[in-house]
Each structure stands twice: as C-alpha cells, then as structure tokens.
Amino acid sequence: MGEIVVMAAGLLGSHHLTLETVEAVSCADVVYHLVTGVEAQQRLRQLNPCVFSLVGFYQDGDLDLEVYGRIVSFLLAQAMADRRVAFVVMGHPSIYVAPTHLLQEHGPRYGVPVRLLPALSSIDTILSWLPFHIPNTGLQILD
C-alpha cells in the first residue's frame, strides 16, 4: 500500500518550499498539485518529472464539496495502487484546504497512511506584509 503526503507551496510558490517538502516531492512516485503559479509548477517539475495538475477536477457549476470528493477519491486510488503520492497545495496544507482534512479522515478507512508536512503558514506571510505592530494593535483572525 502506498501513502499520501500532503504539503504546501506557501503563498510565494517555490520560494516558500521547505527542505522537507523538496525532499518529499523529489522522492514521490507521482506528484499532484493545486498550485496556480507557473514558476511554482516549473519548480515541482524540476524536482520530479511525474507532476500533474488537479485543476481539471473543477467544473463550472459543481459544488466545492463535490470537487473535493473527486480529488480525494482519485488520490486515495493512486495510493492504493502502491504509489507514494505527493499532494501539493497553495498556502498551508491544513489551513483552508478541505481535501487535506478529507484525506486524513478517509485515508485510514482504506488503509492509506496520510502524512501532513508542516509549511510556511499563509498567516505568517500575510502578517509579515501588514504594516502594523501586533502588540500595539492586537490581532483577530476569523474564518
């Protein structure tokens, strides 16, 4: 049985790849992504020639949960074929990424281990861009 490793490219694509992410992408049998930046996609292909976009899973009029369900089913099937699957998303792999949580929920039901690699947090990046000092102004994050 294979496994799925979920990781992220941060908000700045390849500039935010961690060393751990670079190694995981390089060692994967196949890499699937929802990365939109051309530069980040090129970097993934430099690390591993077997890279494919999952953007085609999105169809006009489909509900997000339908799309996420198709993505999760596809990735689980790939891992069940005894592949080491890398799944790369934008931002942080566990913040605002529903497929990550669905994979963590459903993977074990099918005997597929799902690992989540830490990444540069999109929140950290946004905070570094804001022109204020948090101790002076406070910070509240709502979803």
Side-chain angles (χ1 to χ4, degrees):
M1 185 66 67
E3 71 170 341
I4 299 172
V5 181
V6 184
M7 60 203 83
L11 290 181
L12 294 179
S14 69
H15 299 290
H16 278 185
L17 294 176
T18 66
L19 295 175
E20 186 176 30
T21 297
V22 167
E23 181 180 356
V25 168
S26 298
C27 294
D29 293 322
V30 62
V31 179
Y32 296 103
H33 70 83
L34 290 173
V35 175
T36 56
V38 173
E39 184 270 338
Q41 291 176 31
Q42 289 173 343
R43 180 66 177 134
L44 292 176
R45 283 189 199 90
Q46 288 172 348
L47 296 169
N48 189 315
C50 197
V51 174
F52 304 94
S53 173
L54 297 180
V55 172
F57 279 80
Y58 289 87
Q59 302 295 319
D60 285 340
D62 286 351
L63 297 175
D64 287 345
L65 284 178
E66 292 173 355
V67 175
Y68 303 152
R70 287 194 297 264
I71 289 171
V72 167
S73 295
F74 176 79
L75 293 173
L76 288 172
Q78 294 297 305
M80 290 170 68
D82 201 26
R83 290 181 164 173
R84 289 173 297 167
V85 176
F87 177 43
V88 185
V89 298
M90 294 299 294
H92 188 278
S94 65
I95 299 174
Y96 307 124
V97 184
T100 296
H101 303 289
L102 293 170
L103 284 167
Q104 289 177 312
E105 177 184 348
H106 296 290
R109 293 180 183 168
Y110 293 93
V112 176
V114 177
R115 288 190 300 130
L116 182 68
L117 298 184
L120 290 177
S121 169
S122 52
I123 293 171
D124 289 344
T125 304
I126 292 167
L127 291 176
S128 72
W129 294 340
L130 295 175
F132 64 83
H133 189 58
I134 293 171
N136 294 340
T137 60
L139 176 67
Q140 182 177 16
I141 299 173
L142 302 173
D143 180 7

